Each structure stands twice: as C-alpha cells, then as structure tokens.
Amino acid sequence: ESHALFHHHHPDGRYYPAHECTVDRAALSGNAQLLEEFFWRKDGSLLPVSVNISPILQGQRVVGSVISFRDITEELRIRRALQDSQERQNRIIDLTSDWVWEVDAKGVYRYVSERIFDLLGYAPHEVIGKTPFDLMPAAEALRLGKFFKNASAKRKSFAFVESINLHQNGSHVTLETSATPMFDQNGHFKGYRGIGRDISERKRAEQALLSSRELYRTLVDNIDLGIGLVD
C-alpha cells in the first residue's frame, strides 16, 4: 500500500504505523481535507507535500477517496525565511530602547511593542484600538491631530516630532517620534510604522540650561545697571 511505500516513517526517523496514518484516517472520514505531510522518496530523502483528500461517497458510505499531493518544498522554505526574518525583527525590537508601533490610515494603533510599558505605563493590549491622540492632553492632541492629518494626506514621512503624552499615572512624558508611511502591494496607503523615544530628561536639561542662561543675563544686566548708577 502507499503508506508502506512512501509514508512509513516520521521525518525524525521514527516508525509510522499504518493505523496512525493521518492520510488514511482523513480518507476514511468522509470529509474533504487538506493536510501537510512528509513523504519519502525512493532515494531516502524527504519530500514535504500538501495532500488534498476528496472522499467518494455512496449515500452516506465512503467507498473511496481521490488523493492528490503537490511538492511544497519551496513554499516551506519561504515560510521559514519569513518566520526567521520576523523572529530577528522581534529580537531587534526587544533590544531597542525605542517604542515601535504601527497605526492604520485612520491613526489607530494596530501594533505596539512591549517598550510602551516602560515609556507610558501601558501594556500593549491596552493601547491597541486607540490613537496616539487618546494618550495626549487635549491641546496637544488637537495640535498633533492636525499634523498627522496633513502628513497622511500627503503620504509623507516625518522625523523627530515632539509631543507631550500622558503616562498612565497622569504625569507628562515628552516623546520624539519618527515614522514612514506603509503601502499595500497595490500602492494603497495603509498607515504608518514608526518609533518613539522618551526625551523628557533631555527637555528638562534644555529647560534648566535656558533658565540658567536667563538668570545669567539678568545678573549681568543688573550689574551693568549698578555700575551705571555709580558713575
């Protein structure tokens, strides 16, 4: 029989008893099925296949099956390459200090990396379905909403855009955001993919430096004024 001829062992070399054969079971089930299996070539090499099983019924009784299969070696290679690529991307995302996100054409979050918890105190699932503007004070949401509408209408990338965001605990966090538009295979605009980073400390340092300079100028002006009065 076919099982003994080319389906006799599992891919890892374990013996595959005929009574456990998934193809035979599917053929006897009376239901059309599509399976992924491995067959053995005559030379002893493995052949990954997609098996299409269509039962032949006589009334309610299964009297046979039409079974066809096709080689899916290349399909599996592409699938594994995509999986490896996704795993590498996920590792990079996990290692970066930036928050990675994706929004659709309406600005609704469709993907949010775990890093958002460190930045804004939210778990990713708490943000999916919201927009960036839902996480901003009202005035900032209005300002950035207009910016996003203009950028998305022109399908433009943007970089180093600063915004004030609300942490889950109510505090303000200043984020710097850069993003590029996404398009489907037909060229239709799908939304944006981008990164955000916390620049709150940098903004506080810049403000402290500005205040220090202003204080210095005030002191110098007062000194100059005092010298003028003495003269």
Side-chain angles (χ1 to χ4, degrees):
E1 61 170 358
S2 61
H3 180 83
L5 185 63
F6 51 74
H7 202 204
H8 41 74
H9 285 77
H10 290 284
D12 61 6
R14 290 180 295 113
Y15 177 65
Y16 199 167
H19 67 272
E20 295 180 1
C21 179
T22 55
V23 176
D24 287 350
R25 286 182 177 181
L28 295 173
S29 71
N31 299 313
Q33 295 188 47
L34 186 64
L35 307 175
E36 285 191 4
E37 279 289 346
F38 286 90
F39 290 164
W40 291 89
R41 294 188 179 93
K42 186 177 180 179
D43 64 6
S45 62
L46 274 175
L47 174 68
V49 293
S50 175
V51 184
N52 192 349
I53 303 169
S54 300
I56 300 173
L57 301 176
Q58 195 172 74
Q60 299 296 316
R61 189 166 61 92
V62 179
V63 296
S65 295
V66 177
I67 301 176
S68 62
F69 64 89
R70 63 182 178 85
D71 182 353
I72 59 171
T73 302
E74 184 63 14
E75 183 179 321
L76 285 184
R77 186 191 68 77
I78 294 172
R79 194 186 303 171
R80 286 168 183 152
L82 289 173
Q83 183 178 350
D84 289 344
S85 176
Q86 185 62 52
E87 289 175 354
R88 284 195 299 271
Q89 179 179 315
N90 289 339
R91 285 196 294 270
I92 292 172
I93 289 173
D94 290 340
L95 290 172
T96 183
S97 60
D98 295 333
W99 162 32
V100 180
W101 52 264
E102 289 182 6
V103 296
D104 64 16
K106 295 182 179 179
V108 176
Y109 283 120
R110 295 306 182 198
Y111 169 77
V112 176
S113 69
E114 297 284 345
R115 181 64 173 158
I116 190 175
F117 181 79
D118 299 317
L119 299 182
L120 298 178
Y122 292 97
H125 74 269
E126 295 178 291
V127 176
I128 299 299
K130 297 181 182 293
T131 73
F133 323 113
D134 294 327
L135 308 179
M136 297 178 184
E140 190 74 336
L142 181 62
R143 181 179 74 86
L144 268 295
K146 290 179 179 178
F147 173 85
F148 178 83
K149 184 177 181 180
N150 180 64
S152 59
K154 297 178 180 179
R155 312 302 193 240
K156 290 173 54 178
S157 299
F158 52 86
F160 311 121
V161 175
E162 296 182 8
S163 62
I164 298 172
N165 296 258
L166 294 171
H167 193 280
Q168 191 179 44
N169 63 17
S171 63
H172 286 189
V173 178
T174 304
L175 296 181
E176 182 180 79
T177 301
S178 300
T180 56
M182 299 185 297
F183 301 92
D184 64 19
Q185 59 185 6
N186 297 315
H188 298 137
F189 176 62
K190 290 178 55 181
Y192 279 94
R193 177 182 293 119
I195 59 173
R197 62 184 55 173
D198 185 354
I199 60 169
S200 302
E201 285 299 324
R202 191 183 82 192
K203 297 301 291 184
R204 281 191 284 269
E206 290 174 355
Q207 185 58 48
L209 180 59
L210 180 61
S211 298
S212 177
R213 286 174 176 171
E214 290 176 349
L215 177 59
Y216 176 77
R217 290 195 191 97
T218 300
L219 290 173
V220 170
D221 291 344
N222 287 338
I223 291 172
D224 290 345
L225 179 61
I227 292 174
L229 290 175
V230 170
D231 291 343

